[in-house]
Amino acid sequence: MLDCQVIVIGAGIAGLSAASYLQQQGLKVVVLEARQRLGGRIHTTIDRWSIPIDLGASWIHGTEGNPIKKLATDFKIATAVTDYDSIDIFDYKGQPFSEFKWHKYAKIWRRAVKGARKNWHEDGCLQTVIDEMLASKSLSASQIRQLNYFINTEIEHEYGADLSELSAFKWDRDREFSGDDVFFPGGYTQIIDILAAGLEIKLEHRVERVSYDSHRVTVSTDCKEFTAAKAIVTLPLGVLKKQTVTFSPPLPIAKQKAIALLGVGILNKTYLHFPHAFWSDRSDLIGYIGKRKGEWMEFVNIYKYTGVPVLLGYNAGRYGSYLETLSDDEIVASMMAVLQTIYDRQIPQPTDYQITRWESDRYACGAYSFMTPGATGKTIKDLAKPINNCLFFAGEATSLHYPATVHGAYLSGIKAARSILKSTTD
């Protein structure tokens, strides 16, 4: 006897969107989640400070036509616009740097990438593109620092990876919704709560094995075993790479190759809470053109939005990964060293902090996916392809057009749910 019609593995936004859709269509669904909480890589802390803090996803990227913005509108959830042009930039000596010309370095970047795509016959990494461009130009040390600042904040933060890891041909194959980027002053968990309402969700059920054939799926957890006619796997790409869940029979070779080829990026956050704000409340962002690319180059001014003296520092790629090897005190000291350079060595010490380590998180193993050299749209399609009309796959890494986004994960869950409904009527 089956426990339900569909098992959904994972209570992140892909799993919850799929389960919610299927339940609305009258199917009996059980969601299995290893964590003690919902949301996956959406994680809002509520009670620690006087404001919600998003340790995972924060923004709706593009509001026009975005399904997450529609949910927010339908359920009257407040959002706030982030103005990326509202920024205070400082150089490595801590001096205000009003001379930074964003469009100048964007133009240099576009020309370098366009030239590579035109002249290269085989895919390589973006770092090689920049190395070739720098070899043909006479840029000063200051100009190189500015170019590195552009690259890190505009490219590496966006994809969670260093240029040396990103495909020169396909790194930006994703699509975007137009409109502003907005975030939730009340926390992203509000969207999770909407989708989870009324669902049967088993928390602290860590999936160990998925056995399947054309008629039945059996999912074994560390608590008990569940059976269903079909299942949706929304495990993050990083978890699939670790192979902590056994599939029987093994996943098709094409899917295994896709899992191996696609990259998993890192974007870690450090929030510092201060006794009072020593920085301006007028700008959304603070930029730091440091000597070393990728180290504490961008901060979000949480104080401007909330009136609470909090700064958020970002680190992506290899430096973001390196920080996970440090202690909390060492990470805080590293961020403070930059803030002391920008403002003053006498600024107050933080009263508290919140730090993410998404690569070390056993149920995430990274932040979001990216395209490595050699990866193509077919790679993503292979990852997303159902098996035997009984095992379906969803999650941001399976989204052909919107990978590495919350809306991409959400839409992938809806797509998998619709595929299940279609397979039951064919």
Side-chain angles (χ1 to χ4, degrees), residues 9 207-212 217-220 245-248 391:
I9 300 173
V207 172
E208 297 175 335
R209 185 181 184 87
V210 179
S211 302
Y212 62 96
V217 180
T218 301
V219 179
S220 303
V245 176
T246 301
F247 290 88
S248 179
L391 201 59

Side-chain angles (χ1 to χ4, degrees), residues 315-337:
N315 288 286
R318 289 179 179 172
Y319 188 70
S321 179
Y322 162 72
L323 285 180
E324 296 199 18
T325 68
L326 304 183
S327 68
D328 287 1
D329 288 345
E330 288 171 322
I331 293 172
V332 170
S334 179
M335 180 167 164
M336 283 297 294

Side-chain angles (χ1 to χ4, degrees), residues 65-171:
N66 192 310
I68 307 301
K69 183 60 169 72
K70 185 179 187 305
L71 281 172
T73 301
D74 290 347
F75 286 88
K76 297 180 172 55
I77 300 175
T79 60
V81 174
T82 298
D83 180 2
Y84 296 111
D85 292 327
S86 174
I87 184 169
D88 293 329
I89 300 179
F90 299 85
D91 68 14
Y92 70 97
K93 296 180 180 179
Q95 298 300 309
F97 197 86
S98 59
E99 294 83 13
F100 180 75
K101 305 298 183 185
W102 194 270
H103 296 295
K104 172 183 177 180
Y105 291 98
K107 186 176 181 180
I108 290 175
W109 172 260
R110 285 194 295 269
R111 283 182 174 177
V113 173
K114 183 178 179 181
R117 287 172 171 168
K118 180 179 179 180
N119 298 318
W120 288 13
H121 299 292
E122 295 183 1
D123 197 4
C125 71
L126 274 173
Q127 187 62 58
T128 303
V129 174
I130 292 302
D131 290 343
E132 289 184 359
M133 182 274 295
L134 291 176
S136 64
K137 286 183 175 290
S138 298
L139 298 182
S140 67
S142 176
Q143 289 173 322
I144 290 175
R145 284 194 294 270
Q146 292 176 61
L147 177 62
N148 284 337
Y149 169 76
F150 171 85
I151 288 170
N152 180 245
T153 58
E154 183 73 4
I155 310 300
E156 294 178 334
H157 282 192
E158 184 79 9
Y159 295 95
D162 289 9
L163 294 191
S164 59
E165 302 170 285
L166 290 168
S167 162
F169 284 178
K170 300 293 184 181
W171 65 278

